[in-house]
Amino acid sequence: MNVSDATKLAFSNSSTSKYLTLEWWSDDTQRWNAIPMSNIVSESLTLKESLMSSNNIEFVGCIASEFSLDIYDVAVNLKNKLIAVSICANNTDTIRLFNGIVDSCVRQSNRKLQRITAYDALYTKGQIDVADWYNGLFAEAESITLGELRSSLFTYLDWEQENVELPCDNIVIHKQYEPQSLQALVVLKSICQLNGCFGVVSRQNKFTYRFINTGEEGLYPSITLYPSLDLYPRSGSGGGGEMTTTTVGYYKSVAYEDWAVNAITKVTIRDNESDTSPAIAGEGTNNYIVQGNMFAYKLDAQSRTLIATKLLDRVGGFVYTPFTAVNYCQPWLEVGLDAVEYAMYA
């Protein structure tokens, strides 16, 4: 995210006032309504954006961002409301932090205090049943490319996706199922898994595909932007372009392991553990396995091998060393798009 040096300097100064804008959408009046700063509890904001939910390497993503905040003496019930959150410091750049739907609005022991928790669009869009869409795809055609399928899916979901060509867009797939129910999240994860990328909803509410290149060490796999930052070093770049590196010289703490996970040297695609003819690309002992993907299931051997090769090109050589850092607020950092380099002091 492009912000000025003045903005970065303002946020690094603990004495600089930070101003939060929290707006909610009213279906009745068809307009945005602001929650005054006086009704927002200081130091209560938490934003969590993640590429993965554990230390196990899995190139899928599709984890909804989570936003939490305490508000005081607000009469309206924000549950199920659409909210938009931005932050600025000392009248510098205004930074969009979050767009999403409030999932819970819980009153605390002090009845005027409420804790709101919201998730981005992936939380709601991912739960949509797309079985009718999937079954209808093959009503007139026996096959379709994976790129055509994902374009059709986002049209059906009425959701904007990043305009990008993915490695496996030209793979031709055939109908293998007649599902009675099918969550959109399952389809999204299957698409991202075969392309070796992480599905992430941007701050502008757009579904994006973020890749990690394997040329230099960076950060992995998750980010908690405020007030702490939990990251892991990794080889890195995302979003199809060069990753921006931020040098952090002013932080609370950094703790890291003395070991690194070995680089991925082989990719295997199989239907299940007993699959007698898996597709394999590469060689060596550090094998990245894709199993039970709905679009690779019973796919012809040539196509599966091509997918495995394309996937190895994306994830091969991937190395990371787990670490945890506690930072001061740097809201311009975005998961999968930014690398962080820490200045370590003796």
Side-chain angles (χ1 to χ4, degrees), residues 13-304:
N13 188 341
S14 59
S15 63
T16 301
S17 297
K18 316 299 190 295
Y19 301 94
L20 192 74
T21 301
L22 172 61
E23 297 179 300
W24 59 276
W25 176 257
S26 171
D27 290 328
D28 295 333
T29 62
Q30 291 292 295
R31 65 181 179 87
W32 290 98
N33 301 271
I35 302 294
M37 273 287 294
S38 59
N39 295 99
I40 297 174
V41 179
S42 178
E43 305 292 333
S44 68
L45 188 158
T46 300
L47 173 64
K48 183 176 182 181
E49 299 174 320
S50 300
L51 294 182
M52 297 193 300
S53 58
S54 70
N55 283 343
N56 296 323
I57 297 176
E58 187 177 13
F59 296 85
V60 175
C62 298
I63 300 170
S65 299
E66 178 183 322
F67 171 87
S68 296
L69 183 71
D70 290 339
I71 56 177
Y72 183 79
D73 199 19
V74 175
V76 64
N77 185 353
L78 294 181
K79 183 175 174 61
N80 297 325
K81 300 291 187 184
L82 176 66
I83 62 171
V85 185
S86 301
I87 193 171
C88 71
N90 203 27
N91 295 320
T92 56
D93 297 325
T94 297
I95 299 172
R96 176 55 57 87
L97 275 183
F98 180 79
N99 279 284
I101 302 291
V102 176
D103 182 63
S104 65
C105 189
V106 181
R107 293 194 180 276
Q108 307 300 298
S109 54
N110 181 333
R111 300 299 292 173
K112 288 190 175 184
L113 185 67
Q114 301 177 69
R115 180 71 172 174
I116 65 170
T117 301
Y119 298 94
D120 67 32
L122 191 61
Y123 186 75
T124 50
K125 297 284 190 181
Q127 296 182 57
I128 295 175
D129 190 333
V130 296
D132 289 343
W133 161 81
Y134 177 83
N135 292 328
L137 269 181
F138 300 92
E140 298 181 0
E142 294 183 356
S143 62
I144 189 173
T145 67
L146 199 55
E148 292 169 337
L149 180 142
R150 69 181 178 91
S151 294
S152 175
L153 173 63
F154 280 92
T155 298
Y156 183 83
L157 294 175
D158 190 25
W159 194 12
E160 185 181 4
Q161 66 169 327
E162 179 183 12
N163 183 19
V164 62
E165 182 176 347
L166 300 183
C168 292
D169 272 351
N170 293 325
I171 297 295
V172 177
I173 59 174
H174 305 270
K175 187 175 183 179
Q176 300 289 354
Y177 318 92
E178 190 73 36
Q180 296 299 309
S181 64
L182 176 64
Q183 277 195 336
L185 184 61
V186 174
V187 183
L188 292 170
K189 285 185 172 182
S190 296
I191 292 171
C192 291
Q193 186 179 47
L194 292 189
N195 285 287
C197 63
F198 300 94
V200 174
V201 179
S202 73
R203 306 275 182 82
Q204 288 70 42
N205 198 35
K206 181 187 296 186
F207 190 88
T208 64
Y209 306 89
R210 298 184 180 176
F211 292 91
I212 305 300
N213 294 335
T214 55
E216 56 188 85
E217 290 189 358
L219 310 174
Y220 202 79
S222 67
I223 178 171
T224 303
L225 287 177
Y226 186 98
S228 65
L229 189 63
D230 298 318
L231 303 158
Y232 296 75
R234 55 115 173 103
S235 307
S237 177
E242 292 299 319
M243 174 169 283
T244 301
T245 300
T246 298
T247 299
V248 180
Y250 184 54
Y251 53 85
K252 293 182 179 180
S253 65
V254 175
Y256 57 94
E257 301 292 346
D258 293 328
W259 48 269
V261 174
N262 292 331
I264 295 171
T265 58
K266 181 169 66 173
V267 170
T268 297
I269 299 179
R270 65 192 187 190
D271 292 340
N272 48 56
E273 291 184 7
S274 58
D275 191 339
T276 58
S277 57
I280 299 175
E283 57 186 17
T285 58
N286 199 7
N287 188 17
Y288 180 68
I289 299 174
V290 173
Q291 179 173 297
N293 186 287
M294 66 176 293
F295 298 124
Y297 182 71
K298 292 186 178 180
L299 198 61
D300 63 275
Q302 182 178 1
S303 295
R304 289 215 297 183

